[in-house]
């Protein structure tokens, strides 16, 4: 098929034909014998291995994989139910140093590692598309625009812990890996023509060491509706209810939102019933799901009311790093000038190299550099700071000269 250049990636005028399975739908691998046969087949295949995993996010507390899909030339597609097995380490050994091909790798790498699957090399089709400055990088969009087929995504949010898995879900899962190898071929050609293949390989290499997102110090502060909560005592209510909900959800392996919605936590913290007993009879607790764990919510509420003043949460979270950029102009105008200059450099480089600004350099790393620049702010020192912050070599080489000039122009005279 003709290979489109990055400038040709646009919304299709007509809906492309739906993608269908090239091979018959394989049976789910859920026995030791079937797994052994799959491992032998994968080991005799050739070329990269396309992988995907399905979790039950929004249904379960855990982020474990409930289905693993893989495809390799010569071995076809396999759909593996990992739940009956203690791990898939032998499959990982069979894959060995073969390149993995995934879409949005950070979504799946942790759950795959939990069952013994860890890549030594990989290719991320989503990240490749970002480096090509593609506006929409969802798998269905890329398949439509680069492969000329329509990939339905109607089963992406279903409960994959369901057993047995319905056949339409399995077809959906198999199609996801069927397209990855062909998509990789097209994207490699586009990256090569754009002079970005080396950059992509650096990014992919870093992903093989991905250890998951950094845990938040106060995850309860992400409760939806918390912006309506005023006062430290009501914030303590949010914290205690969030922690009680998390414990119930973990114990039941149920998504927290299904145990007690964020909206109810925010409602309780804004209405502030007299005590736990009053909470039990409140409007918020009339919902059937919430009433199932009334004792847990009542006890958590009473704990929040009884906490000493010095143990109540602060009105705002302690910043981990620089304060929000919107406050810089007043708090530290010199740093604000540096940040503006640094952002200008990143923006110019993004335009010149047809990249999203956040892929030129992490916005958080830019903020930290502008807030507290190294001394001296010369190229070797700035390059070392960027490397320590996780920047790739291609990013360091691209951004260091301009950032040094920006830091110098914005320094306190």
């Amino acid at each position: 098929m003709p290979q489109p250049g990055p400038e040709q990636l646009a919304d299709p005028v007509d809906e492309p034909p739906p993608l269908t399975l090239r091979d018959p739908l394989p049976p789910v691998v859920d026995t030791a014998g079937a797994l052994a046969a799959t491992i032998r087949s994968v080991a005799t295949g050739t070329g990269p291995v396309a992988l995907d995993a399905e979790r039950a996010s929004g249904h379960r507390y855990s982020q474990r994989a409930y289905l693993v899909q893989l495809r390799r030339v010569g071995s076809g597609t396999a759909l593996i139910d990992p739940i009956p097995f203690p791990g898939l380490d032998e499959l990982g050994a069979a894959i060995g140093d073969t390149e993995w091909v995934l879409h949005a790798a950070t979504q799946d790498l942790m759950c795959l590692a939990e069952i013994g699957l860890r890549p030594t090399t990989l290719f991320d089709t989503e990240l490749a598309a970002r480096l090509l400055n593609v506006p929409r990088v969802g798998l269905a969009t890329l398949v439509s625009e680069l492969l000329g087929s329509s990939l339905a995504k109607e089963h992406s949010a279903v409960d994959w812990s369901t057993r047995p898995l319905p056949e339409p879900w399995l077809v959906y899962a198999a199609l996801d890996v069927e397209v990855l190898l062909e998509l990789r071929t097209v994207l490699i050609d586009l990256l090569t023509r754009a002079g970005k293949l080396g950059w992509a390989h650096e990014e992919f290499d870093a992903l093989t060491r991905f250890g998951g997102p950094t845990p938040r110090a106060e995850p309860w502060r992400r409760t939806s509706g918390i912006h309506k909560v005023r006062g430290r005592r009501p914030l303590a209510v949010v914290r205690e209810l969030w922690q009680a909900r998390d414990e119930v959800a973990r114990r039941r392996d149920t998504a927290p939102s299904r145990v007690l919605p964020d909206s109810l936590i925010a409602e309780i913290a804004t209405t502030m019933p007299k005590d736990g007993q009053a909470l039990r009879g409140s409007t918020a607790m009339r919902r059937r799901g919430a009433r199932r764990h009334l004792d847990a919510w009542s006890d958590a509420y009473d704990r929040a009311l009884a906490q000493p003043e010095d143990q109540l949460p602060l009105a705002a979270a302690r910043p981990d790093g620089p304060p929000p950029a919107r406050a810089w102009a007043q708090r530290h105008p010199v740093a604000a000038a540096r940040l503006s200059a640094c952002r200008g450099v990143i923006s110019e480089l993004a335009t010149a190299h047809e990249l999203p600004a956040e892929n030129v350099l992490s916005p958080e790393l830019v903020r930290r550099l502008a807030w507290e620049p190294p001394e001296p702010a010369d190229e070797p020192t700035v390059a070392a700071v960027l490397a320590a912050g996780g920047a790739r070599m291609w990013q360091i080489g691209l951004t260091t000269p301009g950032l040094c000039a920006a830091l110098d122009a914005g320094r306190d005279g």
Side-chain angles (χ1 to χ4, degrees):
M1 61 174 286
Q3 304 301 326
E7 71 281 354
Q8 295 173 274
L9 297 175
D11 290 337
V13 175
D14 299 316
E15 183 69 20
L19 192 69
T20 57
L21 291 176
R22 300 171 186 172
D23 307 317
L25 181 68
V28 174
V29 175
D30 56 6
T31 66
L35 179 60
T38 298
I39 291 171
R40 290 193 297 270
S41 178
V42 170
T44 58
T46 59
V49 177
L51 283 108
D52 190 22
E54 305 296 346
R55 302 179 307 281
S57 303
H59 300 273
R60 297 287 185 174
Y61 182 90
S62 70
Q63 291 299 306
R64 71 186 302 179
Y66 283 96
L67 186 71
V68 175
Q69 311 99 276
L70 59 130
R71 183 176 178 86
R72 192 178 192 188
V73 173
S75 57
T77 297
L79 304 176
I80 303 174
D81 179 357
I83 304 304
F85 308 110
L88 299 179
D89 303 75
E90 291 185 14
L91 175 62
I95 295 173
D97 294 335
T98 300
E99 181 185 82
W100 290 21
V101 184
L102 308 97
H103 185 81
T106 56
Q107 295 183 15
D108 292 333
L109 286 173
M110 298 306 295
C111 71
L112 291 171
E114 287 179 358
I115 53 178
L117 298 176
R118 298 174 180 84
T120 57
T121 60
L122 65 81
F123 188 100
D124 186 338
T125 55
E126 182 196 56
L127 184 49
R130 290 189 186 280
L131 292 175
L132 290 166
N133 206 27
V134 177
R136 295 187 298 158
V137 295
L139 183 59
T141 301
L142 294 181
V143 168
S144 173
E145 297 182 354
L146 295 180
L147 303 184
S149 296
S150 173
L151 179 65
K153 302 299 291 182
E154 70 269 26
H155 301 305
S156 60
V158 299
D159 182 1
W160 288 93
S161 66
T162 300
R163 292 296 183 272
L165 287 166
E167 182 173 313
W169 299 10
L170 295 173
V171 171
Y172 161 92
L175 286 172
D176 269 4
V177 289
E178 278 210 357
V179 297
L180 288 179
L181 297 180
E182 186 177 358
L183 197 56
R184 168 188 177 272
T185 299
V186 174
L187 288 168
I188 285 177
D189 180 69
L190 294 176
L191 288 166
T192 301
R193 289 160 56 185
K196 297 177 179 179
L197 185 60
W199 297 358
H201 283 311
E202 286 190 44
E203 295 292 334
F204 301 156
D205 180 65
L207 283 176
T208 64
R209 297 181 293 278
F210 178 71
T214 302
R216 293 181 176 272
E218 295 180 306
W220 59 270
R221 289 189 184 271
R222 291 179 63 81
T223 303
S224 297
I226 197 173
H227 63 283
K228 302 175 184 177
V229 178
R230 298 288 184 268
R232 296 178 64 190
R233 183 73 60 186
L235 284 174
V237 169
V238 174
R239 179 175 65 185
E240 292 299 322
L241 286 173
W242 188 97
Q243 291 173 346
R245 179 186 70 174
D246 194 67
E247 175 57 34
V248 171
R250 185 192 304 270
R251 187 172 65 249
R252 296 183 58 208
D253 193 16
T254 301
S257 61
R258 291 176 174 263
V259 175
L260 188 70
D262 279 9
S263 58
L264 289 191
I265 293 179
E267 180 181 337
I268 294 166
T270 52
T271 57
M272 291 296 288
K274 178 182 178 181
D275 52 28
Q277 187 60 38
L279 172 64
R280 299 172 77 95
S282 67
T283 303
M285 291 292 103
R286 290 178 185 173
R287 298 188 186 183
R288 181 179 178 182
R291 295 192 66 80
R292 188 173 301 166
H293 303 284
L294 267 178
D295 289 345
W297 316 143
S298 175
D299 291 347
Y301 190 77
D302 282 338
R303 284 196 301 272
L305 295 185
Q307 283 176 356
E309 290 287 333
D310 62 356
Q311 295 181 17
L312 297 177
L314 299 176
R318 290 187 177 91
D320 178 19
R326 61 181 178 273
W328 289 26
Q330 185 173 13
R331 293 182 55 179
H332 198 337
V334 174
R338 285 196 296 260
L339 180 61
S340 178
C342 289
R343 283 177 167 173
V345 168
I346 299 302
S347 178
E348 289 178 7
L349 289 171
T351 300
H353 294 276
E354 297 186 3
L355 288 166
E358 62 270 20
N359 287 100
V360 174
L361 195 64
S362 159
E364 177 62 19
L365 191 49
V366 174
R367 285 192 295 269
R368 289 178 181 270
L369 186 68
W371 181 257
E372 193 173 357
E375 186 61 43
D378 55 18
E379 290 196 19
T381 309
V382 170
V385 170
L386 295 181
R392 323 297 182 222
M393 291 304 298
W394 74 267
Q395 293 174 315
I396 294 171
L398 191 66
T399 63
T400 296
L403 289 175
C404 287
L407 293 172
D408 183 65
R411 67 184 174 181
D412 191 352

